[in-house]
Amino acid sequence: MTPAPEHGGDTAPPRRRARRFLRHNGLGLFFLTTFLLALAGQAVAGHAEFNNQLVSDGMAPLDFGAYLASSDFAVDVTENWQSEYLQFFLYIFATVWLLQRGSPESKELDRAGTESDQDQMAGRHAKEDSPRWAAAADWRGLVYSRSLGLVMGTIFLLSWLTQSVAGVAAYNEEQLRRLQAPVSWAQYLSAADFWSRSLQNWQSELLAVASMAVLSIYLRQRGSPESKPVGASDSATGVEG
């Protein structure tokens, strides 16, 4: 039996530690890597499309660095981010109270609501390894117990604000190319362009969440925690594989 290190340090060889790190963080690393690849692909394709539009308007094309710093690239990126975080924000808060019979995306049918401190291992029911703020009986416990939804909602609002600022700049650049008057930020917030960009992303994200909640009642993905066990009843609710 291998003795434990005296000071709690990790004495495994670096290669083994690296493999363990990749194994323990594979899900996050996979999606972060694919996000960066998709962002890079969007930048390359968006740069080509934007320059094609400039050339067709009789203007000089932008180099790649200038495009990355442009309002057009910023608005294209942030309009996708805000819709994703809106999806998670609504999902996190809606699933506190709303149920879907037979879905692993729902809580069990008798557990709607914020649940007791005992169920949530909060306050005086916190465990030794619980986060420090989970045991707090003051504002810290209140904030921490809702921190995931609050952070998701904050990122959504910041992304939406950034989209509106970048969007009005991109919109006014297009207006000037057409020899039309620019608009203010407040005017842009009520413009069809802003709401078209927002709503076309919102509807796709909300449809995807609804599809996941309902299709997971009847369909299975073996080994996935987003699915019920293969042999679970269609009516089993809040059960994960």
Side-chain angles (χ1 to χ4, degrees), residues 74-76 78-80 82-83 86 156-172 174 183-202:
V75 72
D76 286 343
T78 54
E79 73 180 40
N80 290 316
Q82 56 93 357
S83 64
L86 173 65
F156 159 68
L157 291 175
L158 291 176
S159 300
W160 202 23
L161 176 62
T162 304
Q163 177 201 342
S164 70
V165 173
V168 70
Y171 182 79
N172 282 337
E174 188 174 345
V183 301
S184 67
W185 178 72
Q187 289 174 317
Y188 181 69
L189 290 183
S190 62
D193 181 80
F194 176 68
W195 286 103
S196 175
R197 285 179 176 273
S198 296
L199 293 172
Q200 69 179 341
N201 287 290
W202 292 3

Side-chain angles (χ1 to χ4, degrees), residues 3 42 64 90-92 103 113 125 130 132 161 163 165 215:
Q42 177 189 350
F64 189 66
L90 291 177
Y91 182 76
I92 289 166
S103 176
H125 298 284
S130 296
R132 183 185 305 173
L161 176 62
Q163 177 201 342
V165 173
L215 291 177

